[in-house]
């Protein structure tokens, strides 16, 4: 069987002497209808040629997909088609038509490929433009927003009536919420554009965690929540990693814990874990006594723009991007993130990162001369 053959058309008949007359057309393309029709004409010629021996059974012209088990291929080809010279021309003509159709098909395929390539290129360009647009716009909004917050802060220091003070508070907190949203969008578009670069350096892990807790203390107090830190004494003093990104993830989780907890406590735990391949991992946990999450929804909350559609969460502002950003950041740092929760039972969000200890290099004291 010649290579690359995809279909076969055949016709033939049994001669009275028991010999089989078979005409088979092998094709490198699917047999198109127009060719199959032409071949039926040819099959008719063959049938007519075989008329004088009509006591033998005649085979119909059929287009078959060429599989190794095609029965037509197993027919012994006893008599070459060239033994029927007057039919040879018809077959030649048929082959020309067929070749042309195959060529057309190949050309069409090539055109479709080109169109597809062009469409992919356009889609990629559009996606890049969207990310660039988001990044530029977010950046441009951030500058006046900082000005707005600073001005509200200065205004707060002036002589204000209680009513004015309340209004200034609203301006300040709205600007701060908006800034958080803009920062999320900016971060997301940067990560999407593949522009996330980690700044690995040596930093004091315990101080970083304490700082985050300290910054949230006021907000927790205002909401009547207790905020506790449980940092293992076994943590190395200094580790190597990206402190800005570690702070951002922890910040997001603590911020969510406060947002989704009406009463009770938030507990932050940081513990060193023995890693499987000798590399030490640091596990961070943020446990709250808040509204909780239905167990089956947990994987969904780490997806882009996902906010659970519960009447309770509807009251909260947010983009649904925070956890999606955390997931990407943790993955970029070679770690894992997850949550354990039940509706109404509070939640524990955790992440584990490889943060190798950065031991200070001991400089040997100069030998006494
Ligand atoms: P956002 O906070 O901007 O809505 P996130 O990606 O941070 O977006 O969170 C996605 C969703 O996950 C939230 O809208 C909320 O439904 C749920 N969620 C996150 N953290 C908690 C939590 N500590 N307790 C209960 N639900 C949470």
């Amino acid at each position: 069987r010649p290579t690359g053959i995809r279909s076969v058309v055949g016709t033939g008949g049994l001669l009275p002497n028991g010999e089989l007359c078979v005409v088979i057309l092998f094709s490198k393309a699917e047999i198109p209808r127009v060719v199959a029709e032409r071949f039926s004409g040819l099959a008719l010629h063959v049938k007519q040629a075989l008329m004088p021996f009509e006591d033998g059974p005649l085979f119909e012209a059929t287009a078959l997909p060429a599989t190794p088990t095609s029965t037509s291929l197993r027919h012994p080809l006893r008599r070459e088609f060239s033994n029927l010279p007057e039919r040879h021309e018809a077959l030649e003509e048929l082959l020309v038509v067929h070749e042309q159709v195959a060529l057309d098909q190949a050309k069409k395929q090539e055109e479709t490929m080109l169109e597809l390539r062009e469409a992919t290129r356009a889609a990629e360009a559009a996606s890049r433009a969207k990310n660039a647009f988001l990044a530029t716009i977010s950046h441009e909004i951030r500058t006046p927003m900082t000005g707005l917050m600073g001005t509200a802060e200065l205004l707060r220091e002036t002589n204000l009536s209680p009513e004015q003070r309340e209004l200034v508070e609203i301006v300040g907190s709205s600007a701060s919420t908006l800034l958080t949203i803009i920062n999320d969008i900016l971060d997301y578009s940067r990560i999407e554009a593949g522009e996330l670069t980690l700044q690995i350096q040596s930093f004091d892990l315990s101080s970083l965690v304490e700082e985050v807790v300290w910054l949230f203390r006021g907000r927790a107090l205002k909401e009547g929540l207790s905020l506790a830190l449980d940092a293992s004494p076994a943590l190395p003093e200094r580790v190597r990693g990206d402190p800005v990104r570690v702070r951002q993830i922890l910040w997001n989780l603590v911020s969510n814990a406060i947002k989704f907890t009406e009463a009770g406590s938030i507990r932050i735990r940081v513990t060193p874990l023995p890693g499987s391949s000798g590399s030490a991992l640091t596990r961070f946990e943020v446990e709250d006594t808040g509204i909780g999450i239905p167990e089956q929804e947990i994987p969904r909350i780490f997806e882009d723009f996902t906010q659970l559609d519960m009447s309770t969460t509807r009251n909260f502002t947010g983009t649904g991007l925070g956890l999606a950003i955390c997931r990407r950041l943790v993955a970029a740092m070679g770690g894992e993130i997850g949550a354990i929760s039940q509706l109404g039972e509070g939640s524990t969000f955790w992440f584990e990162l490889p943060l190798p200890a950065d031991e200070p290099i001991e400089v040997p004291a100069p030998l006494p001369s």
Side-chain angles (χ1 to χ4, degrees):
R1 174 170 159 225
T3 51
I5 295 299
R6 294 180 63 189
S7 40
V8 178
V9 186
T11 187
L14 208 56
L15 301 174
N17 62 2
E19 277 189 89
L20 193 65
C21 173
V22 183
V23 181
I24 298 179
L25 172 65
F26 295 96
S27 162
K28 292 203 174 184
E30 296 293 340
I31 301 265
R33 221 154 72 122
V34 43
V35 174
E37 274 163 14
R38 294 294 289 267
F39 196 84
S40 319
L42 176 69
L44 218 81
H45 286 306
V46 176
K47 271 190 201 173
Q48 278 163 5
L50 292 170
M51 274 310 177
F53 323 105
E54 71 184 359
D55 26 329
L58 283 177
F59 304 123
E60 285 299 325
T62 39
L64 297 170
T67 64
T69 53
S70 292
T71 46
S72 66
L73 283 178
R74 289 209 228 107
H75 286 310
L77 192 60
R78 292 273 188 78
R79 188 173 293 195
E80 295 288 327
F81 185 69
S82 52
N83 289 351
L84 297 166
E86 70 274 25
R87 307 293 169 234
H88 199 206
E89 253 173 53
L91 185 60
E92 285 281 291
E93 188 195 329
L94 181 71
L95 282 173
V96 170
V97 174
H98 195 193
E99 214 106 277
Q100 191 52 48
V101 172
L103 271 177
D104 286 353
Q105 269 182 351
K107 206 168 139 211
K108 237 183 237 158
Q109 224 165 26
E110 177 81 357
E111 280 168 8
T112 316
M113 281 294 290
L114 282 177
E115 277 167 22
L116 264 177
R117 231 173 269 150
E118 179 56 26
T120 312
R121 203 196 54 74
E124 280 169 357
S127 171
R128 270 198 304 277
K130 180 201 76 183
N131 281 331
F133 170 76
L134 269 180
T136 315
I137 287 293
S138 315
H139 188 75
E140 290 305 315
I141 298 174
R142 213 150 61 140
T143 316
M145 198 51 66
T146 319
L148 201 64
M149 283 168 70
T151 312
E153 194 67 43
L154 289 175
L155 207 56
R156 210 180 277 142
E157 305 298 318
T158 61
N159 255 342
L160 297 172
S161 69
E163 198 186 345
Q164 284 170 327
R165 187 162 297 281
E166 200 178 317
L167 293 176
V168 171
E169 288 297 330
I170 296 173
V171 172
S173 75
S174 304
S176 143
T177 307
L178 197 52
L179 193 63
T180 311
I181 295 174
I182 291 162
N183 281 340
D184 272 1
I185 296 176
L186 193 61
D187 251 335
Y188 178 78
S189 52
R190 275 212 197 106
I191 296 173
E192 277 296 279
E195 283 169 18
L196 169 70
T197 44
L198 297 174
Q199 306 284 338
I200 306 295
Q201 52 187 278
S202 166
F203 67 96
D204 182 338
L205 180 60
S206 302
S207 299
L208 181 145
V209 178
E210 276 162 22
E211 190 188 298
V212 172
V213 175
W214 190 80
L215 287 170
F216 274 108
R217 196 143 274 160
R219 204 173 124 194
L221 205 71
K222 211 163 110 190
E223 312 256 336
L225 301 169
S226 77
L227 187 62
L229 170 63
D230 196 351
S232 162
L235 283 175
E237 205 168 300
R238 296 191 75 79
V239 293
R240 286 196 69 74
D242 184 333
V244 173
R245 297 311 187 174
V246 174
R247 184 187 291 115
Q248 187 179 2
I249 301 162
L250 194 61
W251 180 281
N252 245 305
L253 299 189
V254 178
S255 171
N256 273 352
I258 295 179
K259 187 158 78 169
F260 295 108
T261 305
E262 212 170 316
S265 59
I266 317 292
R267 182 169 285 277
I268 296 136
R269 270 187 226 100
V270 192
T271 17
L273 283 186
S276 50
S277 55
S279 61
L281 288 175
T282 306
R283 181 177 174 95
F284 300 78
E285 284 179 358
V286 179
E287 185 188 272
D288 65 50
T289 54
I291 59 171
I293 304 155
E295 214 176 332
Q296 70 278 10
E297 300 281 13
I298 294 176
R300 225 163 59 81
I301 57 172
F302 291 97
E303 287 168 15
D304 303 344
F305 301 104
T306 302
Q307 292 182 295
L308 296 185
D309 194 20
M310 299 186 297
S311 54
T312 32
T313 53
R314 285 255 180 114
N315 309 325
F316 301 104
T317 52
T319 51
L321 274 180
L323 290 178
I325 293 173
C326 288
R327 181 173 57 88
R328 285 177 161 82
L329 291 178
V330 168
M333 291 191 264
E336 275 186 66
I337 189 167
I340 308 157
S341 184
Q342 262 179 15
L343 195 58
E345 300 282 321
S347 321
T348 300
F349 279 77
W350 60 266
F351 62 102
E352 291 174 0
L353 295 176
L355 295 173
D358 188 39
E359 304 300 347
I361 302 161
E362 299 228 347
V363 183
L367 290 172
S369 53

